[in-house]
């Protein structure tokens, strides 16, 4: 269900990247007197397109830390479902709002981001209750694969839907699927193994033994100063920003790049844009399996896995971004882009689950903080692109790839020195305090039952 939830989140986030190509596409219209004129439904310039594509992230960035706090306070499963359900409902309103006024269109996208922003931090709360220590990388990657399967679905289907039934059908289709998923989520998902009526006793015992009984979530008190001053936490933040810059650069702009430089048709653009993410889905399973396997076998420590998976991927992506900038052959361009995006599967076994290594009780806050900075990529990248790619030439697109390659390099250097994989001292102290509180809670509960 988390897999399907992230699938929905990314279809709702990505579908506009293809839809905006259809919304601004020029077409010939024959008038009554036989004159052929060129028209388009929405006459957005490059700066307006950048603003529209980044609008989702204005709301998304506002609720990362809030989502982490609310998830740890009221339950990750609750916030995860509400965030996605409301974001899906808003998708159904976008066609009407877009035709009414640009401001309403932007407001709907910002609100989609606002509610979608609480989703990823809530996943950390869910895994803190459900994921055994040596299954975190694989379990995380299986569910995070939903984000990329959603990306593929949005890329593949949006072009087809637009050509067959108009760009409006893109939002109606994916919005409806999201609403149906939310109804199923309410009935299927529980906060923890203890509350799941369908789990076996053996599985429940295995999970609880591995992660420990945390007691009521409301007893958690977050050490804000320690979190904000921890180099290991900031390594997670920098890795998130680095990974997301490249991810959002291609995610929001790849359809336009293919249309501008390789002259692909709308339906072809959607299929070609999906190819890199198909490669990434396959590598996510490889990345997660290898990350857990090398730890179980004792070949690498947890910190080494997080460091190597982050830095190795960033350097690889930097190289392929530079090759893409210089490539003139369409086939080679797609090969390089596919390899660059595919390498992005490995940091998902690095920084994404690293918060659980550093401080399990505060992982939702750490991922919320890192996503706040990571979301800056989603805001800045399309806007910067809008100011650079004004004439839609290959030379202007090269500058976009140069900037992305430079960010990958800087991110890999920072992560090499500051990534850690052990429970941090401040989190260990906090866990001892939490254990004492839980012991008191259990004692009080036992006394109450006896009375």
């Amino acid at each position: 269900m988390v897999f399907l939830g992230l699938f929905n989140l990314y279809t709702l986030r990505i579908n506009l990247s293809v839809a905006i190509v259809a919304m601004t596409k020029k077409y010939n219209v024959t008038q009554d007197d036989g004159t052929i004129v060129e028209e388009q439904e929405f006459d957005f310039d490059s700066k307006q397109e950048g603003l529209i594509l980044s609008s989702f992230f204005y709301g998304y960035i506002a609720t990362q830390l809030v989502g982490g706090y609310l998830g740890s306070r009221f339950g990750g499963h609750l916030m995860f479902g509400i965030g996605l359900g409301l974001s899906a409902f808003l998708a159904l309103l976008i066609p009407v709002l877009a035709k009414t006024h640009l401001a309403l269109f932007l407001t709907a996208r910002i609100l989609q981001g606002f509610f979608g922003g609480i989703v990823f931090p809530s996943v950390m709360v869910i895994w803190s209750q459900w994921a055994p220590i040596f299954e975190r990388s694989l379990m995380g990657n299986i569910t995070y694969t939903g984000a990329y399967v959603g990306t593929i679905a949005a890329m593949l289907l949006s072009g087809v839907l637009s050509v067959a039934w108009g760009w409006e059908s893109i939002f109606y289709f994916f919005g409806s699927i999201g609403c149906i998923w939310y109804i199923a989520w309410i009935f299927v998902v529980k906060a923890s193994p203890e509350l799941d009526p369908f789990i076996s006793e053996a599985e429940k015992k295995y999970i609880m033994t591995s992660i420990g009984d945390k007691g009521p979530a409301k007893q958690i008190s977050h050490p804000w100063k320690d979190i904000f001053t921890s180099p290991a936490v900031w390594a997670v933040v920098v890795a998130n920003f680095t990974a997301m810059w490249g991810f959002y650069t291609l995610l929001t702009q790849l359809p336009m790049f293919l249309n501008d430089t390789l002259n692909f048709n709308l339906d072809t653009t959607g299929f070609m844009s999906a190819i890199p993410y198909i490669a990434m889905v396959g590598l996510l399973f490889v990345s997660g399996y290898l990350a857990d396997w090398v730890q179980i076998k004792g070949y690498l420590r947890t910190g080494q896995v997080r460091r190597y998976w982050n830095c190795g991927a960033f350097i690889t992506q930097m190289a392929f971004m530079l090759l893409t900038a210089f490539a003139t052959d369409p086939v080679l361009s797609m090969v390089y882009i596919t390899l660059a995006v595919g390498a992005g599967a490995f940091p998902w076994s690095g920084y994404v689950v690293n918060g659980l290594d550093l401080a399990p009780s505060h992982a939702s806050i750490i991922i919320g903080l890192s996503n706040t900075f990571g979301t800056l990529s989603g805001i800045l990248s399309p806007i910067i692109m809008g100011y650079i790619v004004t004439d839609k030439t290959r030379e202007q697109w090269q500058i976009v790839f140069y900037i992305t390659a430079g960010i990958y390099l800087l991110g890999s250097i920072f992560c090499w020195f500051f990534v850690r994989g052990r429970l941090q001292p401040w989190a260990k102290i906090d866990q001892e305090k939490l254990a004492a509180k839980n012991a008191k809670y259990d004692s009080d509960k036992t006394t109450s039952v006896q009375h």
Side-chain angles (χ1 to χ4, degrees):
M1 290 302 294
V2 176
F3 171 94
L4 293 174
L6 295 181
F7 171 94
N8 284 313
L9 177 66
Y10 272 71
T11 59
L12 297 169
R13 182 191 296 190
I14 305 311
N15 56 22
L16 183 59
S17 299
V18 177
I20 198 169
V21 177
M23 294 168 72
T24 58
K25 185 177 179 62
K26 295 181 180 180
Y27 55 92
N28 293 327
V29 175
T30 303
Q31 297 182 335
D32 293 337
D33 59 1
T35 304
I36 298 177
V37 296
E38 193 175 61
E39 294 184 0
Q40 59 184 142
E41 187 169 358
F42 295 91
D43 186 19
F44 301 135
D45 59 31
S46 63
K47 296 181 180 61
Q48 287 176 319
E49 287 180 355
L51 178 63
I52 292 168
L53 289 172
S54 66
S55 58
F56 179 96
F57 302 101
Y58 294 134
Y60 193 74
I61 196 173
T63 50
Q64 292 298 316
L65 277 174
V66 173
Y69 174 77
L70 293 176
S72 64
R73 180 78 176 176
F74 300 106
H77 72 299
L78 180 64
M79 304 314 298
F80 187 91
I82 291 175
L84 271 168
L86 291 174
S87 189
F89 174 73
L90 284 164
L92 302 176
L93 305 179
I94 283 180
V96 173
L97 298 178
K99 293 178 181 179
T100 303
H101 198 280
L102 176 60
L104 293 176
F105 183 18
L106 291 173
T107 299
R109 286 294 292 180
I110 291 171
L111 287 175
Q112 273 193 302
F114 183 87
F115 293 116
I118 66 177
V119 171
F120 259 106
S122 299
V123 175
M124 289 295 104
V125 181
I126 294 172
W127 289 141
S128 71
Q129 299 290 336
W130 282 94
I133 292 175
F134 290 119
E135 297 183 31
R136 287 172 181 168
S137 295
L138 185 57
M139 287 180 70
N141 279 15
I142 289 173
T143 52
Y144 294 139
T145 299
Y148 296 102
V149 175
T151 299
I152 294 167
M155 294 293 188
L156 288 176
L157 297 178
S158 293
V160 175
L161 290 169
S162 178
V163 170
W165 294 290
W167 62 267
E168 300 92 339
S169 64
I170 297 174
F171 299 101
Y172 293 139
F173 179 77
F174 291 115
S176 298
I177 291 177
C179 291
I180 293 171
W181 168 89
Y182 176 60
I183 295 172
W185 175 268
I186 293 173
F187 292 102
V188 172
V189 176
K190 307 304 176 185
S192 64
E194 309 99 295
L195 301 176
D196 191 337
F198 304 108
I199 193 172
S200 68
E201 284 299 319
E203 184 180 5
K204 180 166 68 174
K205 182 179 179 180
Y206 165 65
I207 294 174
M208 299 310 301
T209 301
S210 176
I211 65 177
D213 189 350
K214 297 178 180 298
K218 292 183 181 180
Q219 294 187 29
I220 296 175
S221 178
H222 301 293
W224 296 101
K225 181 180 177 181
D226 292 318
I227 291 174
F228 279 100
T229 57
S230 170
V233 170
W234 282 103
V236 177
V237 172
V238 170
N240 194 319
F241 181 88
T242 302
M244 290 300 101
W245 184 279
F247 178 68
Y248 288 136
T249 295
L250 291 176
L251 196 63
T252 60
Q253 298 161 39
L254 184 56
M256 285 193 289
F257 169 73
L258 297 177
N259 186 67
D260 294 344
T261 63
L262 304 181
N263 298 315
F264 287 140
N265 295 325
L266 181 61
D267 50 352
T268 305
T269 295
F271 281 102
M272 296 302 291
S273 298
I275 290 175
Y277 300 98
I278 294 174
M280 192 174 195
V281 167
L283 287 173
L284 272 169
F285 289 99
V286 174
S287 166
Y289 176 80
L290 287 177
D292 286 334
W293 181 75
V294 295
Q295 291 178 80
I296 293 171
K297 292 293 185 179
Y299 298 143
L300 294 174
R301 297 188 302 273
T302 301
Q304 291 175 316
V305 170
R306 307 307 181 215
R307 180 181 296 110
Y308 298 161
W309 263 237
N310 283 343
C311 297
F314 293 158
I315 294 298
T316 301
Q317 290 177 293
M318 178 195 72
F320 285 119
M321 280 292 183
L322 291 174
L323 289 171
T324 302
F326 288 105
T328 56
D329 181 79
V331 175
L332 277 179
S333 294
M334 282 305 305
V335 170
Y336 295 148
I337 289 172
T338 300
L339 293 173
V341 173
F346 285 84
W348 287 82
S349 298
Y351 77 89
V352 176
V353 294
N354 198 195
L356 289 169
D357 306 320
L358 304 177
S361 298
H362 316 296
S364 63
I365 297 297
I366 294 172
I367 198 65
L369 175 64
S370 69
N371 271 353
T372 298
F373 284 84
T375 305
L376 284 174
S377 306
I379 295 173
L380 295 176
S381 179
I383 292 176
I384 291 174
M385 181 277 298
Y387 280 90
I388 294 174
V389 189
T390 54
D391 300 319
K392 301 186 176 182
T393 63
R394 175 171 288 275
E395 291 72 22
Q396 291 174 342
W397 277 105
Q398 284 178 335
I399 297 173
V400 173
F401 291 125
Y402 294 152
I403 293 172
T404 304
I407 290 174
Y408 276 133
L409 177 61
L410 294 175
S412 65
I413 293 173
F414 189 94
C415 288
W416 184 263
F417 290 104
F418 296 108
V419 164
R420 299 291 183 270
R422 293 182 177 179
L423 185 70
Q424 295 300 285
W426 47 268
K428 186 176 182 179
I429 293 171
D430 185 67
Q431 281 203 332
E432 291 171 353
K433 292 179 180 177
L434 181 60
K437 287 184 179 179
N438 287 340
K440 184 178 183 302
Y441 170 82
D442 291 335
S443 175
D444 292 344
K445 184 168 63 172
T446 302
T447 300
S448 176
V449 171
Q450 289 173 345
H451 285 313

